[in-house]
mmCIF file of all heavy atoms in Angstrom:
data_model
loop_
_atom_site.group_PDB
_atom_site.id
_atom_site.type_symbol
_atom_site.label_atom_id
_atom_site.label_comp_id
_atom_site.label_asym_id
_atom_site.label_seq_id
_atom_site.Cartn_x
_atom_site.Cartn_y
_atom_site.Cartn_z
ATOM 1 N N ALA A 1 0.825 -1.209 0.000
ATOM 2 C CA ALA A 1 0.000 0.000 0.000
ATOM 3 C C ALA A 1 0.860 1.260 0.000
ATOM 4 O O ALA A 1 0.476 2.295 -0.567
ATOM 5 C CB ALA A 1 -0.931 0.003 1.210
ATOM 6 N N ALA A 2 2.030 1.167 0.636
ATOM 7 C CA ALA A 2 2.919 2.328 0.726
ATOM 8 C C ALA A 2 3.783 2.503 -0.521
ATOM 9 O O ALA A 2 4.579 3.445 -0.599
ATOM 10 C CB ALA A 2 3.814 2.202 1.957
ATOM 11 N N GLY A 3 3.645 1.602 -1.496
ATOM 12 C CA GLY A 3 4.349 1.740 -2.759
ATOM 13 C C GLY A 3 5.749 1.179 -2.796
ATOM 14 O O GLY A 3 6.509 1.460 -3.726
ATOM 15 N N PHE A 4 6.104 0.336 -1.819
ATOM 16 C CA PHE A 4 7.437 -0.267 -1.815
ATOM 17 C C PHE A 4 7.504 -1.395 -2.838
ATOM 18 O O PHE A 4 6.589 -2.214 -2.936
ATOM 19 C CB PHE A 4 7.779 -0.820 -0.431
ATOM 20 C CG PHE A 4 8.121 0.227 0.581
ATOM 21 C CD1 PHE A 4 7.135 0.848 1.323
ATOM 22 C CD2 PHE A 4 9.445 0.614 0.784
ATOM 23 C CE1 PHE A 4 7.448 1.820 2.256
ATOM 24 C CE2 PHE A 4 9.773 1.587 1.711
ATOM 25 C CZ PHE A 4 8.773 2.195 2.446
ATOM 26 N N ARG A 5 8.588 -1.424 -3.595
ATOM 27 C CA ARG A 5 8.831 -2.528 -4.524
ATOM 28 C C ARG A 5 9.675 -3.565 -3.786
ATOM 29 O O ARG A 5 10.823 -3.305 -3.423
ATOM 30 C CB ARG A 5 9.545 -2.043 -5.784
ATOM 31 C CG ARG A 5 8.711 -1.079 -6.617
ATOM 32 C CD ARG A 5 9.472 -0.592 -7.841
ATOM 33 N NE ARG A 5 9.794 -1.700 -8.730
ATOM 34 C CZ ARG A 5 8.979 -2.149 -9.682
ATOM 35 N NH1 ARG A 5 7.783 -1.601 -9.834
ATOM 36 N NH2 ARG A 5 9.341 -3.140 -10.459
ATOM 37 N N ILE A 6 9.093 -4.741 -3.563
ATOM 38 C CA ILE A 6 9.731 -5.777 -2.758
ATOM 39 C C ILE A 6 10.278 -6.875 -3.660
ATOM 40 O O ILE A 6 9.783 -7.091 -4.773
ATOM 41 C CB ILE A 6 8.702 -6.358 -1.754
ATOM 42 C CG1 ILE A 6 8.159 -5.236 -0.875
ATOM 43 C CG2 ILE A 6 9.320 -7.439 -0.883
ATOM 44 C CD1 ILE A 6 9.198 -4.460 -0.114
ATOM 45 N N SER A 7 11.279 -7.578 -3.194
ATOM 46 C CA SER A 7 11.833 -8.717 -3.925
ATOM 47 C C SER A 7 10.722 -9.657 -4.384
ATOM 48 O O SER A 7 9.741 -9.880 -3.670
ATOM 49 C CB SER A 7 12.812 -9.482 -3.026
ATOM 50 O OG SER A 7 13.077 -10.765 -3.531
ATOM 51 N N THR A 8 10.869 -10.228 -5.564
ATOM 52 C CA THR A 8 9.877 -11.178 -6.082
ATOM 53 C C THR A 8 10.142 -12.590 -5.583
ATOM 54 O O THR A 8 9.384 -13.508 -5.907
ATOM 55 C CB THR A 8 9.882 -11.179 -7.618
ATOM 56 O OG1 THR A 8 11.189 -11.535 -8.093
ATOM 57 C CG2 THR A 8 9.513 -9.802 -8.169
ATOM 58 N N SER A 9 11.218 -12.778 -4.825
ATOM 59 C CA SER A 9 11.550 -14.111 -4.329
ATOM 60 C C SER A 9 10.576 -14.534 -3.238
ATOM 61 O O SER A 9 10.115 -13.724 -2.444
ATOM 62 C CB SER A 9 12.975 -14.143 -3.780
ATOM 63 O OG SER A 9 13.907 -13.827 -4.786
ATOM 64 N N GLY A 10 10.292 -15.841 -3.215
ATOM 65 C CA GLY A 10 9.385 -16.383 -2.219
ATOM 66 C C GLY A 10 7.989 -16.567 -2.793
ATOM 67 O O GLY A 10 7.671 -16.070 -3.877
ATOM 68 N N PRO A 11 7.115 -17.311 -2.096
ATOM 69 C CA PRO A 11 5.727 -17.481 -2.519
ATOM 70 C C PRO A 11 5.049 -16.120 -2.663
ATOM 71 O O PRO A 11 5.467 -15.146 -2.020
ATOM 72 C CB PRO A 11 5.100 -18.299 -1.376
ATOM 73 C CG PRO A 11 6.257 -18.998 -0.742
ATOM 74 C CD PRO A 11 7.416 -18.059 -0.858
ATOM 75 N N PRO A 12 3.988 -16.029 -3.481
ATOM 76 C CA PRO A 12 3.377 -14.719 -3.779
ATOM 77 C C PRO A 12 3.037 -13.889 -2.552
ATOM 78 O O PRO A 12 3.269 -12.689 -2.527
ATOM 79 C CB PRO A 12 2.114 -15.107 -4.563
ATOM 80 C CG PRO A 12 2.444 -16.412 -5.197
ATOM 81 C CD PRO A 12 3.340 -17.120 -4.221
ATOM 82 N N GLU A 13 2.476 -14.535 -1.514
ATOM 83 C CA GLU A 13 2.044 -13.777 -0.334
ATOM 84 C C GLU A 13 3.193 -13.495 0.631
ATOM 85 O O GLU A 13 3.015 -12.778 1.613
ATOM 86 C CB GLU A 13 0.913 -14.514 0.393
ATOM 87 C CG GLU A 13 1.328 -15.725 1.200
ATOM 88 C CD GLU A 13 1.588 -16.970 0.354
ATOM 89 O OE1 GLU A 13 1.519 -16.882 -0.887
ATOM 90 O OE2 GLU A 13 1.865 -18.029 0.951
ATOM 91 N N ARG A 14 4.391 -14.062 0.362
ATOM 92 C CA ARG A 14 5.517 -13.872 1.277
ATOM 93 C C ARG A 14 6.732 -13.287 0.563
ATOM 94 O O ARG A 14 7.860 -13.460 1.021
ATOM 95 C CB ARG A 14 5.912 -15.204 1.935
ATOM 96 C CG ARG A 14 4.824 -15.801 2.779
ATOM 97 C CD ARG A 14 5.363 -16.812 3.783
ATOM 98 N NE ARG A 14 5.970 -17.978 3.170
ATOM 99 C CZ ARG A 14 5.310 -19.080 2.838
ATOM 100 N NH1 ARG A 14 4.012 -19.148 3.032
ATOM 101 N NH2 ARG A 14 5.939 -20.109 2.294
ATOM 102 N N LYS A 15 6.509 -12.589 -0.533
ATOM 103 C CA LYS A 15 7.634 -12.043 -1.288
ATOM 104 C C LYS A 15 8.465 -11.106 -0.409
ATOM 105 O O LYS A 15 7.948 -10.218 0.242
ATOM 106 C CB LYS A 15 7.116 -11.291 -2.517
ATOM 107 C CG LYS A 15 6.497 -12.194 -3.576
ATOM 108 C CD LYS A 15 6.118 -11.413 -4.804
ATOM 109 C CE LYS A 15 5.396 -12.286 -5.833
ATOM 110 N NZ LYS A 15 6.176 -13.420 -6.266
ATOM 111 N N GLY A 16 9.778 -11.338 -0.426
ATOM 112 C CA GLY A 16 10.690 -10.483 0.303
ATOM 113 C C GLY A 16 10.835 -10.791 1.777
ATOM 114 O O GLY A 16 11.710 -10.245 2.443
ATOM 115 N N ILE A 17 10.010 -11.692 2.310
ATOM 116 C CA ILE A 17 10.044 -11.985 3.740
ATOM 117 C C ILE A 17 11.195 -12.942 4.050
ATOM 118 O O ILE A 17 11.233 -14.063 3.553
ATOM 119 C CB ILE A 17 8.709 -12.595 4.216
ATOM 120 C CG1 ILE A 17 7.585 -11.557 4.102
ATOM 121 C CG2 ILE A 17 8.832 -13.099 5.650
ATOM 122 C CD1 ILE A 17 7.740 -10.380 5.032
ATOM 123 N N VAL A 18 12.130 -12.488 4.863
ATOM 124 C CA VAL A 18 13.286 -13.318 5.245
ATOM 125 C C VAL A 18 13.234 -13.695 6.723
ATOM 126 O O VAL A 18 14.012 -14.519 7.193
ATOM 127 C CB VAL A 18 14.617 -12.611 4.929
ATOM 128 C CG1 VAL A 18 14.803 -12.452 3.433
ATOM 129 C CG2 VAL A 18 14.704 -11.239 5.622
ATOM 130 N N GLN A 19 12.319 -13.069 7.489
ATOM 131 C CA GLN A 19 12.116 -13.405 8.900
ATOM 132 C C GLN A 19 10.674 -13.087 9.248
ATOM 133 O O GLN A 19 9.988 -12.358 8.525
ATOM 134 C CB GLN A 19 13.050 -12.601 9.810
ATOM 135 C CG GLN A 19 12.727 -11.109 9.810
ATOM 136 C CD GLN A 19 13.310 -10.350 10.975
ATOM 137 O OE1 GLN A 19 13.795 -9.251 10.783
ATOM 138 N NE2 GLN A 19 13.252 -10.873 12.188
ATOM 139 N N ARG A 20 10.200 -13.640 10.346
ATOM 140 C CA ARG A 20 8.821 -13.371 10.767
ATOM 141 C C ARG A 20 8.775 -13.099 12.266
ATOM 142 O O ARG A 20 9.602 -13.619 13.024
ATOM 143 C CB ARG A 20 7.917 -14.565 10.433
ATOM 144 C CG ARG A 20 7.635 -14.704 8.948
ATOM 145 C CD ARG A 20 6.762 -15.889 8.659
ATOM 146 N NE ARG A 20 7.496 -17.147 8.724
ATOM 147 C CZ ARG A 20 6.987 -18.323 8.395
ATOM 148 N NH1 ARG A 20 5.739 -18.416 7.996
ATOM 149 N NH2 ARG A 20 7.722 -19.416 8.473
ATOM 150 N N LEU A 21 7.805 -12.305 12.669
ATOM 151 C CA LEU A 21 7.475 -12.115 14.072
ATOM 152 C C LEU A 21 6.043 -12.585 14.277
ATOM 153 O O LEU A 21 5.200 -12.426 13.387
ATOM 154 C CB LEU A 21 7.573 -10.634 14.472
ATOM 155 C CG LEU A 21 8.954 -9.979 14.528
ATOM 156 C CD1 LEU A 21 8.803 -8.521 14.954
ATOM 157 C CD2 LEU A 21 9.879 -10.713 15.476
ATOM 158 N N ASP A 22 5.756 -13.164 15.448
ATOM 159 C CA ASP A 22 4.389 -13.562 15.764
ATOM 160 C C ASP A 22 3.462 -12.354 15.657
ATOM 161 O O ASP A 22 3.879 -11.210 15.881
ATOM 162 C CB ASP A 22 4.295 -14.102 17.188
ATOM 163 C CG ASP A 22 5.119 -15.353 17.410
ATOM 164 O OD1 ASP A 22 5.514 -15.976 16.406
ATOM 165 O OD2 ASP A 22 5.365 -15.697 18.581
ATOM 166 N N VAL A 23 2.192 -12.621 15.389
ATOM 167 C CA VAL A 23 1.198 -11.556 15.319
ATOM 168 C C VAL A 23 1.205 -10.720 16.591
ATOM 169 O O VAL A 23 1.152 -9.490 16.551
ATOM 170 C CB VAL A 23 -0.209 -12.148 15.070
ATOM 171 C CG1 VAL A 23 -1.282 -11.079 15.261
ATOM 172 C CG2 VAL A 23 -0.306 -12.748 13.672
ATOM 173 N N GLY A 24 1.295 -11.372 17.748
ATOM 174 C CA GLY A 24 1.231 -10.670 19.018
ATOM 175 C C GLY A 24 2.546 -10.097 19.495
ATOM 176 O O GLY A 24 2.599 -9.510 20.580
ATOM 177 N N THR A 25 3.612 -10.259 18.717
ATOM 178 C CA THR A 25 4.927 -9.724 19.090
ATOM 179 C C THR A 25 5.220 -8.486 18.252
ATOM 180 O O THR A 25 5.041 -8.495 17.034
ATOM 181 C CB THR A 25 6.031 -10.771 18.862
ATOM 182 O OG1 THR A 25 5.749 -11.928 19.655
ATOM 183 C CG2 THR A 25 7.396 -10.227 19.240
ATOM 184 N N SER A 26 5.650 -7.432 18.914
ATOM 185 C CA SER A 26 5.974 -6.189 18.208
ATOM 186 C C SER A 26 7.479 -6.076 18.017
ATOM 187 O O SER A 26 8.256 -6.804 18.623
ATOM 188 C CB SER A 26 5.450 -4.991 19.007
ATOM 189 O OG SER A 26 5.895 -5.070 20.362
ATOM 190 N N GLY A 27 7.879 -5.125 17.158
ATOM 191 C CA GLY A 27 9.298 -4.845 17.011
ATOM 192 C C GLY A 27 9.826 -4.935 15.604
ATOM 193 O O GLY A 27 9.078 -4.855 14.624
ATOM 194 N N LEU A 28 11.132 -5.124 15.497
ATOM 195 C CA LEU A 28 11.862 -4.943 14.248
ATOM 196 C C LEU A 28 11.842 -6.156 13.324
ATOM 197 O O LEU A 28 12.032 -7.287 13.768
ATOM 198 C CB LEU A 28 13.312 -4.577 14.561
ATOM 199 C CG LEU A 28 13.501 -3.249 15.307
ATOM 200 C CD1 LEU A 28 14.923 -3.137 15.833
ATOM 201 C CD2 LEU A 28 13.176 -2.070 14.398
ATOM 202 N N MET A 29 11.615 -5.887 12.065
ATOM 203 C CA MET A 29 11.685 -6.889 10.998
ATOM 204 C C MET A 29 12.389 -6.285 9.800
ATOM 205 O O MET A 29 12.181 -5.109 9.484
ATOM 206 C CB MET A 29 10.286 -7.318 10.547
ATOM 207 C CG MET A 29 9.624 -8.413 11.305
ATOM 208 S SD MET A 29 8.026 -8.829 10.527
ATOM 209 C CE MET A 29 8.563 -9.331 8.872
ATOM 210 N N VAL A 30 13.205 -7.077 9.101
ATOM 211 C CA VAL A 30 13.804 -6.632 7.852
ATOM 212 C C VAL A 30 13.144 -7.376 6.699
ATOM 213 O O VAL A 30 12.862 -8.572 6.790
ATOM 214 C CB VAL A 30 15.343 -6.851 7.838
ATOM 215 C CG1 VAL A 30 15.709 -8.325 8.016
ATOM 216 C CG2 VAL A 30 15.954 -6.305 6.544
ATOM 217 N N VAL A 31 12.870 -6.651 5.617
ATOM 218 C CA VAL A 31 12.264 -7.219 4.416
ATOM 219 C C VAL A 31 13.181 -6.898 3.240
ATOM 220 O O VAL A 31 13.708 -5.782 3.136
ATOM 221 C CB VAL A 31 10.858 -6.633 4.166
ATOM 222 C CG1 VAL A 31 10.237 -7.226 2.907
ATOM 223 C CG2 VAL A 31 9.953 -6.882 5.375
ATOM 224 N N ALA A 32 13.400 -7.875 2.365
ATOM 225 C CA ALA A 32 14.294 -7.681 1.213
ATOM 226 C C ALA A 32 13.557 -6.988 0.076
ATOM 227 O O ALA A 32 12.435 -7.356 -0.269
ATOM 228 C CB ALA A 32 14.834 -9.025 0.744
ATOM 229 N N LYS A 33 14.212 -5.998 -0.508
ATOM 230 C CA LYS A 33 13.649 -5.300 -1.660
ATOM 231 C C LYS A 33 14.251 -5.801 -2.970
ATOM 232 O O LYS A 33 13.580 -5.843 -3.991
ATOM 233 C CB LYS A 33 13.875 -3.793 -1.528
ATOM 234 C CG LYS A 33 13.110 -3.156 -0.372
ATOM 235 C CD LYS A 33 13.438 -1.677 -0.216
ATOM 236 C CE LYS A 33 12.937 -0.848 -1.366
ATOM 237 N NZ LYS A 33 13.197 0.594 -1.141
ATOM 238 N N SER A 34 15.528 -6.178 -2.950
ATOM 239 C CA SER A 34 16.180 -6.675 -4.166
ATOM 240 C C SER A 34 16.359 -8.181 -4.087
ATOM 241 O O SER A 34 16.349 -8.768 -3.004
ATOM 242 C CB SER A 34 17.543 -6.000 -4.351
ATOM 243 O OG SER A 34 18.450 -6.417 -3.333
ATOM 244 N N GLU A 35 16.528 -8.806 -5.245
ATOM 245 C CA GLU A 35 16.740 -10.253 -5.279
ATOM 246 C C GLU A 35 18.056 -10.624 -4.581
ATOM 247 O O GLU A 35 18.132 -11.625 -3.869
ATOM 248 C CB GLU A 35 16.763 -10.759 -6.728
ATOM 249 C CG GLU A 35 15.541 -10.369 -7.560
ATOM 250 C CD GLU A 35 14.238 -10.729 -6.858
ATOM 251 O OE1 GLU A 35 14.106 -11.862 -6.378
ATOM 252 O OE2 GLU A 35 13.352 -9.867 -6.798
#
């Protein structure tokens, strides 16, 4: 929604995701933008 172009790697709904946090856990996550 914010217009970020994310890496196309990974399943369609998880593109760019290299780590996860639980729904109920807050804090820092890194997401890949380039392959």
Side-chain angles (χ1 to χ4, degrees):
F4 285 87
R5 295 178 63 87
I6 302 303
S7 163
T8 59
S9 299
E13 75 282 4
R14 298 200 296 271
K15 291 185 184 302
I17 294 294
V18 294
Q19 67 162 139
R20 288 179 283 186
L21 291 180
D22 297 344
V23 169
T25 300
S26 51
L28 297 167
M29 274 184 60
V30 60
V31 180
K33 294 176 67 176
S34 68
E35 306 309 312

